[in-house]
């Protein structure tokens, strides 16, 4: 299974533009890691293809997204709003990615984490595609991971 | 020997007891470790109980999520007892083992929950001071668990349809 990073960037660009009114810019490589607070969401895909999509955004981007989605002043956005906004974004990305996958696949509910010092992993998976982009100068990452099939013993 | 604990008010016993049974079974069978569960209580705030968490989603006749949350020390020791060797906290194998433990606990509970419940693939989060989103308007119950290797907790945030 292959997913073109350009396709993933394009669908992210469409979602950002249509939902948040923000134009994103492609970034060629992963920015240096920092201890910034971030909100990450993971949605699982099962069925004809098994894997997950992880969306990692700085809290500033999540705050801007929540403000746009819920029509709220950014200064009044709560952590739960950040989580809901990023959950909705990963759900939209998941829905679009699902359309690129073989039929029939199912999306799980998103799992969302917010904090300043954590890492996430989907056990038993490997990265298939990773896309970096800039949203109003802040770096956002979309990772698509594929479940690794268990090795079968040779006869 | 069975262990029956009265859950906090407003949470259905039938949704909690399967996790108490499952966590004791999993660690007894897979790691030869005896677990004691204390009285469940409602979770206050959104921060996780401990630093190392495995998250499992539920769908079907029960929906929501369950987080198995270990202290660093308990996670290292319990994974060692489960796998049979020490595993570095910063390796994928460690996260895989935490995910597998969470998966077995949720899978065991699913059997006792009956009906058509399905569970997701686990998602593992390791760090400090983070919070995991729960379903709104669904109370989250924390089942404190004690082991000879350290403490951990099961955070149950599911509802029956």
């Amino acid at each position: 299974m292959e997913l073109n990073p350009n396709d993933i960037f394009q669908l992210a660009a469409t979602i950002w533009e249509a939902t948040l009114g923000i134009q994103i810019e492609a970034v060629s490589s992963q920015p240096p890691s920092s201890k910034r607070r971030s909100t990450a969401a993971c949605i699982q895909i099962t069925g004809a293809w098994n894997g997950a999509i992880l969306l990692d955004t700085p809290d500033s981007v999540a705050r801007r997204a929540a403000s746009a989605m819920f029509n709220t002043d950014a200064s009044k956005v709560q952590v739960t709003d950040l989580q809901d906004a990023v959950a909705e974004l990963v759900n939209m990305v998941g829905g679009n990615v699902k359309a690129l996958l073989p039929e029939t696949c199912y999306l799980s509910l998103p799992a969302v984490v917010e904090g300043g010092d954590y890492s996430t992993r989907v056990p038993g998976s490997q990265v298939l595609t990773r896309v970096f982009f800039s949203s109003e100068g802040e770096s956002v990452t979309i990772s698509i991971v594929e479940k690794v099939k268990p090795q079968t013993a040779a006869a | 020997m069975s262990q029956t604990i009265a859950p906090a008010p407003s949470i259905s016993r039938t949704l909690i007891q399967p996790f108490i049974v499952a966590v004791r079974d999993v660690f007894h069978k897979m790691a030869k470790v005896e677990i004691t569960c204390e009285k469940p209580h409602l979770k206050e705030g959104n921060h996780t109980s401990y630093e190392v968490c495995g998250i499992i989603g539920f769908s079907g006749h029960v929906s929501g999520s369950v987080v198995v949350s270990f202290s660093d020390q308990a996670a290292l020791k319990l994974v060692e007892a489960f796998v049979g060797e020490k595993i570095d906290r910063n390796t994928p194998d460690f996260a895989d083992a935490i995910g597998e433990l969470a998966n077995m606990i949720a899978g065991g509970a699913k059997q006792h929950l009956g009906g058509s419940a399905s569970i997701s693939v686990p998602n593992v989060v390791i760090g400090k001071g983070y919070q995991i989103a729960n379903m709104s308007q669904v109370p989250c119950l924390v089942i404190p668990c004690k082991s000879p290797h350290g403490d951990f907790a099961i955070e149950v945030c599911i509802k029956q349809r």
Side-chain angles (χ1 to χ4, degrees):
Chain A
M1 181 68 205
E2 286 188 17
L3 288 171
N4 187 333
N6 289 331
D7 292 343
I8 306 304
F9 172 78
Q10 286 304 327
L11 66 87
T14 304
I15 290 167
W16 249 248
E17 172 74 41
T19 313
L20 311 178
I22 296 172
Q23 292 193 337
I24 61 172
E25 295 171 20
V27 177
S28 58
S29 61
Q30 185 170 19
S33 64
S34 63
K35 292 288 183 184
R36 64 182 186 178
R37 290 193 76 84
S38 65
T39 305
C42 174
I43 196 162
Q44 309 268 355
I45 300 176
T46 54
W49 184 85
N50 290 283
I53 298 165
L54 297 104
L55 172 64
D56 190 0
T57 70
D59 273 6
S60 55
V61 172
R63 184 172 297 280
R64 176 79 167 79
S67 173
M69 277 184 190
F70 309 132
N71 198 22
T72 310
D73 191 295
S75 63
K76 293 178 181 168
V77 166
Q78 307 290 313
V79 170
T80 49
D81 297 326
L82 306 185
Q83 294 172 335
D84 288 347
V86 177
E88 190 52 41
L89 286 171
V90 81
N91 199 38
M92 285 188 271
V93 173
N96 281 272
V97 169
K98 191 182 131 188
L100 305 174
L101 298 172
E103 291 186 358
T104 301
C105 287
Y106 304 94
L107 292 180
S108 75
L109 290 172
V112 190
V113 183
E114 193 279 337
D117 182 13
Y118 65 89
S119 62
T120 59
R121 179 174 164 77
V122 178
S125 66
Q126 63 185 16
V127 176
L128 188 65
T129 302
R130 186 166 279 161
V131 174
F132 309 102
F133 61 87
S134 168
S135 174
E136 297 185 322
E138 297 279 2
S139 177
V140 177
T141 307
I142 295 175
S143 305
I144 300 179
V145 301
E146 183 173 29
K147 290 291 288 181
V148 179
K149 292 186 178 75
Q151 298 284 331
T152 52
Chain B
M1 187 179 73
S2 66
Q3 184 179 7
T4 304
I5 294 173
S10 84
I11 306 287
S12 169
R13 177 194 298 267
T14 56
L15 291 181
I16 299 307
Q17 201 66 30
F19 291 93
I20 294 171
V21 173
V23 72
R24 296 175 72 246
D25 279 356
V26 166
F27 280 103
H28 174 75
K29 288 176 184 165
M30 305 305 296
K32 304 281 183 278
V33 173
E34 301 306 321
I35 303 296
T36 306
C37 296
E38 299 189 332
K39 185 178 179 182
H41 58 86
L42 279 171
K43 185 178 177 181
E44 293 177 7
N46 291 321
H47 283 86
T48 55
S49 301
Y50 299 106
E51 301 88 2
V52 179
C53 293
I55 310 167
I56 299 270
F58 275 74
S59 58
H61 89 285
V62 291
S63 60
S65 62
V66 171
V67 177
V68 186
S69 183
F70 300 91
S71 67
D72 258 338
Q73 186 64 21
L76 285 165
K77 294 283 187 184
L78 289 169
V79 163
E80 183 180 345
F82 173 52
V83 177
E85 60 181 282
K86 279 189 179 176
I87 297 184
D88 191 295
R89 182 186 190 270
N90 299 312
T91 61
D93 287 349
F94 179 73
D96 289 355
I98 293 295
E100 188 54 35
L101 284 169
N103 189 47
M104 285 193 286
I105 293 166
K110 188 185 93 166
Q111 286 185 322
H112 298 292
L113 284 166
S116 59
S118 300
I119 59 172
S120 74
V121 177
N123 190 15
V124 175
V125 185
I126 301 174
K128 287 179 182 169
Y130 60 87
Q131 45 185 289
I132 296 172
N134 294 316
M135 283 176 81
S136 56
Q137 298 174 339
V138 177
C140 184
L141 201 79
V142 179
I143 306 169
C145 300
K146 290 196 174 297
S147 84
H149 301 308
D151 298 345
F152 65 101
I154 305 173
E155 301 176 1
V156 182
C157 184
I158 57 176
K159 66 175 180 180
Q160 200 151 18
R161 290 193 178 182

